[in-house]
Amino acid sequence: MSILDPLAARYATWLSLPPEATNDTAGEDPENVRAMPVVLRIDRDPLPARTPLLEAAAAAAIAVCLDPRAEPEGPWHEEVDTWVRGRIRKVSRRARGAHWAAVQELPGVTVEVDGAAARALVPGRVAAAPREVSRLQISGSELPDDEPGPVPADTPVLWCNPHVPMTAGKAAAQVGHATMLLAALLHASGQHDRLRAWSTRDFRCAVRTPTAERWAALHPGADPDLAWRTHTVVAVRDAGFTEVAPGTVTILAQWP
């Protein structure tokens, strides 16, 4: 039994929805909208490199979900479980200095990769976000592209859609979705040893942008089960509330 089981159960259905259905919020009470805050440390000087920052955000998001404190009887369980059973919204915000220090006191997990840091917080109602979070800016997360090196051996790769530019904030939310889906499908397919081994490496992953040809070859199209069986690939399909069109596949997560 995994806290991510509901996510695995509805994965194929979500991927097959028509684009206009992905952001249907009819009947949703705005007061009860839930999201995981993902705080990116973006100092003025020096700016963090984009790829390590996204890799830190991706690892932090799944680390919160699979933390022992999110297990039944743990202090985070109710909030994480309620959130996973609904839309897995994430809201990325940027922080530095005292504001970055303040969010370290809130429940969550901080991950640092090559000097870049991100902290994923325990999800909750957006309307009830603590002041340490609500005062942080959502905009202003543009970072220049960088040139990451080769993918380390035995490391999951999160492939960013080469046709869809995203700010670092948007991409951070998407790669966080990707690691959650990857972990959910690993557990659902009985690959528990691989999932445990990944956790011992602090859920490290590589974020890369593929060629258009490689993206097309990995894309699950209309058969997500086949893509998982043949390429161990899962797709993140965005609801389209910000930056991208509804139904856009933003990330393909591939297990090595």
Side-chain angles (χ1 to χ4, degrees):
M1 190 76 177
S2 167
I3 200 166
L4 298 176
D5 284 348
L7 190 58
R10 66 177 186 267
Y11 168 64
T13 301
W14 173 256
L15 209 59
S16 65
L17 287 175
E20 63 274 11
T22 59
N23 64 0
D24 183 6
T25 58
E28 188 174 60
D29 181 357
E31 287 295 310
N32 288 321
V33 170
R34 293 176 176 270
M36 169 185 278
V38 179
V39 184
L40 310 175
R41 184 176 184 176
I42 302 181
D43 292 317
R44 286 198 184 97
D45 186 20
L47 281 173
R50 179 183 171 95
T51 296
L53 187 63
L54 296 182
E55 291 174 352
I62 186 58
V64 167
C65 297
L66 298 184
D67 190 283
R69 289 166 289 186
E71 295 176 357
E73 311 305 326
W76 298 356
H77 179 76
E78 183 175 356
E79 292 287 4
V80 175
D81 183 60
T82 301
W83 173 64
V84 168
R85 291 179 185 280
R87 291 179 182 264
I88 56 167
R89 290 184 175 98
K90 295 183 181 68
V91 178
S92 298
R93 299 176 184 268
R94 59 186 174 89
R96 61 176 180 267
H99 288 178
W100 172 253
V103 298
Q104 304 307 302
E105 302 303 316
L106 300 176
V109 176
T110 295
V111 173
E112 184 172 329
V113 176
D114 296 337
R119 183 170 181 81
L121 302 177
V122 173
R125 292 193 305 116
V126 174
R131 176 164 169 72
E132 293 91 339
V133 172
S134 63
R135 68 185 178 184
L136 301 177
Q137 293 293 314
I138 296 176
S139 61
S141 65
E142 294 81 3
L143 292 173
D145 291 335
D146 54 359
E147 297 183 2
V151 174
D154 301 321
T155 301
V157 185
L158 312 180
W159 300 106
C160 298
N161 190 329
H163 309 293
V164 180
M166 293 181 283
T167 63
K170 178 69 173 180
Q174 301 304 296
V175 295
H177 296 342
T179 50
M180 287 179 62
L181 284 168
L182 196 56
L185 268 290
L186 283 171
H187 185 273
S189 59
Q191 300 183 58
H192 305 150
D193 289 345
R194 287 184 171 185
L195 188 53
R196 279 192 292 269
W198 191 23
S199 72
T200 65
R201 302 195 302 272
D202 298 322
F203 301 106
R204 285 298 302 268
C205 51
V207 175
R208 298 291 187 270
T209 301
T211 63
E213 292 75 17
R214 185 163 196 175
W215 176 266
L218 292 174
H219 198 294
D223 197 340
D225 291 333
L226 180 63
W228 177 251
R229 292 195 307 270
T230 58
H231 301 303
T232 52
V233 165
V234 294
V236 176
R237 193 175 190 226
D238 193 61
F241 293 118
T242 62
E243 294 193 29
V244 304
T248 300
V249 173
T250 54
I251 307 289
L252 297 178
Q254 184 176 31
W255 188 258

